[in-house]
Amino acid sequence: MDFDVKDPSLASQGRYKIEWAESQMPVLKAIRERFAKELPLKGLKVSACLHVTSETAGLMRTLQAGGADIVLAASNPLSTQDEVAASLVVNDEMPVYAIKGEDNETYYRHLNAALDHHPQMTMDDGCDLVSVLHKERPNQVPEILCGTEETTTGVIRLRAMAQDGALRFPVLAVNDSMTKHQFDNRYGTGQSTLDGIIRATNILLAGRSLVVIGYGWCGRGVASRGKGMGAHVIVTEVDPLKALEAVMDGFQVMPLAQAAKVGDIFVTVTGNKNVIDNEHMAVMKSGAVVCNSGHFNAEINIPALKAMSVGEPRNVRPFVEQYTTKDGRQINMLGDGRLINLAAAEGHPAAVMDMSFANQALGAEFMLKNFKTLSPNVYTIPEAIDREIARLKLATMGVSIDLLTNAQTKYLASWDEGT
Ligand code: ADE
């Protein structure tokens, strides 16, 4: 079996880590038990490009239990947990191509290795796998039945492909499930981003100005968790609706050019490029901490920071590069501008990935059953499956809820009853 991981001897450490995560993923566990009986993915060749974490291992093992033949490559050069990659290779006989800290060339070599598997289904996080397939390996596209996509950025790219008429098979936007973005993006990114910042810097958030750039689901999460830790949270936005929501949620809202002068810690969660740019870094206070929790490392203009700095940055702590600007200020860049929650911490906790990956597993099953009726476009999981995941999650948390009475159901469907 071919694979490329850092060190297979880390496998037993990885196994414990996977078991720990799986113990907090009861919804995925229930799906796995059913998959093992019904084998809904029997013989299906899947190439997955996901963050190689213990939670992802839980998903891969679920798909494997359902009969899929899987190859896994990293969806980010810095997010791999090397011990998890080793365990999947050694204990689950799964070809994995992922090494934490791999360079860009290795990253793309790994994606191509995953495509050498000749998948019938793609499972992507950020759309790099699907993009390489369409741009560099078009002859292989007719072999693909369907795909799934995990994240906001990937869904935006897929919609752009569909709009251009470039997308050639149907893809399920897992991110668009309510049980994904309303939980993973908000509570997952909220907690794991602060976890990454704290592990990298050991900085006290209380009393500091935390500038959250972007108030989508991820920004909402980071801002609310930052507030909970005692930070003074400033939100910057380009969308008036989101900006208004941030104001009414109690945050100070201002343009980034203004926030740049007062912020202590800056986090980008926009999905766009050069959001923190030259003009902002030119006015930041000395000691500012700058990081990104959006999918790509394009949100902070690092070349501009390099250009305004003298000499090479100092690697003052793991994942902290300290730049000294020509006017003598120090700016601390975390994790090379890559997803700080996965670079310096462990990504979202398992309990929230339980729902995201339940959507992936049930989404894969749904797409395999339905791809013949779907044209090349971007789809959302049926609401009934989404709600079932929420119901199962509540049940595993020991939470029960009320049911509508028959009279209430009838009332909601009627229009003739008034005051
Ligand atoms: N994305 C964010 N957190 C993650 C995790 N723990 N595993 C896989 N993908 C993630």
Side-chain angles (χ1 to χ4, degrees):
M1 183 181 86
D2 190 39
F3 61 86
D4 192 17
V5 300
K6 185 169 179 204
D7 180 359
S9 76
L10 299 172
S12 56
Q13 224 178 301
R15 185 54 175 256
Y16 287 137
K17 199 165 170 161
I18 295 168
E19 280 173 14
W20 181 265
E22 285 181 344
S23 73
Q24 290 160 68
M25 301 177 87
V27 178
L28 195 63
K29 182 170 176 232
I31 295 169
R32 182 166 162 191
E33 284 164 4
R34 178 171 69 75
F35 273 19
K37 282 193 209 117
E38 298 175 5
L39 299 177
L41 308 178
K42 192 166 178 198
L44 181 73
K45 292 174 90 175
V46 180
S47 291
C49 173
L50 300 168
H51 299 298
V52 180
T53 64
S54 48
E55 294 76 26
T56 297
L59 171 63
M60 295 295 99
R61 284 155 47 80
T62 301
L63 302 179
Q64 201 178 48
D69 170 10
I70 307 169
V71 170
L72 172 64
S75 63
N76 184 296
L78 260 193
S79 62
T80 298
Q81 295 169 1
D82 289 317
E83 64 281 27
V84 168
S87 177
L88 285 171
V89 167
V90 173
N91 299 315
D92 299 287
E93 290 174 38
M94 191 180 293
V96 178
Y97 299 90
I99 299 173
K100 187 168 178 112
E102 65 194 20
D103 59 19
N104 270 12
E105 195 221 309
T106 311
Y107 173 75
Y108 282 104
R109 184 163 49 76
H110 284 166
L111 292 194
N112 277 292
L115 292 172
D116 288 344
H117 183 49
H118 286 270
Q120 297 160 294
M121 181 184 282
T122 58
M123 188 167 276
D124 216 349
D125 186 336
C127 192
D128 274 347
L129 191 72
V130 168
S131 171
V132 168
L133 185 64
H134 281 73
K135 284 196 300 207
E136 293 166 28
R137 304 177 65 140
N139 295 344
Q140 232 179 292
V141 173
E143 298 169 10
I144 314 279
L145 311 175
C146 53
T148 68
E149 166 57 53
E150 170 78 5
T151 202
T152 319
T153 292
V155 172
I156 290 170
R157 292 177 82 189
L158 285 167
R159 293 225 157 91
M161 285 178 80
Q163 185 84 26
D164 274 357
L167 184 65
R168 290 176 51 200
F169 52 84
V171 183
L172 184 78
V174 166
N175 187 69
D176 289 5
S177 295
M178 292 177 285
T179 47
K180 200 280 184 181
H181 65 264
Q182 292 183 21
F183 299 88
D184 167 315
N185 300 24
R186 180 165 39 178
Y187 305 110
T189 308
Q191 179 168 319
S192 63
T193 298
L194 295 192
D195 186 14
I197 294 170
I198 291 166
R199 288 200 209 188
T201 63
N202 196 26
I203 206 167
L204 181 72
L205 285 173
R208 298 286 170 90
S209 287
L210 171 69
V211 181
V212 179
I213 302 158
Y215 204 66
W217 288 103
C218 295
R220 289 174 178 116
V222 176
S224 110
R225 270 43 195 159
K227 185 176 177 180
M229 297 283 283
H232 170 66
V233 177
I234 299 171
V235 171
T236 75
E237 245 305 334
V238 290
D239 176 347
L241 275 174
K242 290 182 182 151
L244 186 58
E245 184 181 341
V247 170
M248 297 217 179
D249 284 344
F251 299 114
Q252 205 180 352
V253 176
M254 62 178 75
L256 182 54
Q258 212 175 315
K261 296 181 193 154
V262 294
D264 296 304
I265 305 151
F266 296 82
V267 188
T268 51
V269 263
T270 68
N272 216 325
K273 70 185 277 194
N274 292 346
V275 177
I276 295 187
D277 215 339
N278 197 44
E279 63 186 282
H280 308 117
M281 291 181 287
V283 297
M284 282 179 188
K285 296 193 284 191
S286 187
V289 169
V290 178
C291 66
N292 167 53
S293 214
H295 187 79
F296 284 119
N297 60 339
E299 303 211 14
I300 303 166
N301 189 345
I302 298 178
L305 178 58
K306 285 193 175 137
M308 70 169 70
S309 300
V310 282
E312 287 299 306
R314 292 194 309 153
N315 185 211
V316 291
R317 293 169 59 94
F319 307 109
V320 185
E321 298 276 317
Q322 190 170 71
Y323 290 79
T324 301
T325 61
K326 288 175 187 152
D327 59 6
R329 290 169 302 123
Q330 286 174 333
I331 295 184
N332 299 298
M333 168 69 55
L334 307 190
D336 286 333
R338 297 200 185 274
L339 284 157
I340 193 58
N341 59 342
L342 282 141
E346 295 172 64
H348 308 346
V352 84
M353 293 311 294
D354 190 21
M355 291 192 283
S356 311
F357 286 163
N359 275 286
Q360 282 284 8
L362 297 181
E365 182 183 36
F366 171 80
M367 290 303 278
L368 188 59
K369 267 193 200 141
N370 293 285
F371 73 90
K372 285 193 188 125
T373 64
L374 303 173
S375 57
N377 213 330
V378 183
Y379 296 88
T380 306
I381 212 163
E383 193 177 324
I385 299 181
D386 206 351
R387 287 191 182 277
E388 178 61 10
I389 292 170
R391 198 191 59 77
L392 279 172
K393 187 70 184 172
L394 282 171
T396 64
M397 294 168 88
V399 179
S400 43
I401 60 173
D402 293 320
L403 292 174
L404 290 176
T405 63
N406 288 341
Q408 286 170 331
T409 306
K410 204 167 146 217
Y411 178 74
L412 288 179
S414 69
W415 55 271
D416 52 341
E417 267 186 72
T419 302

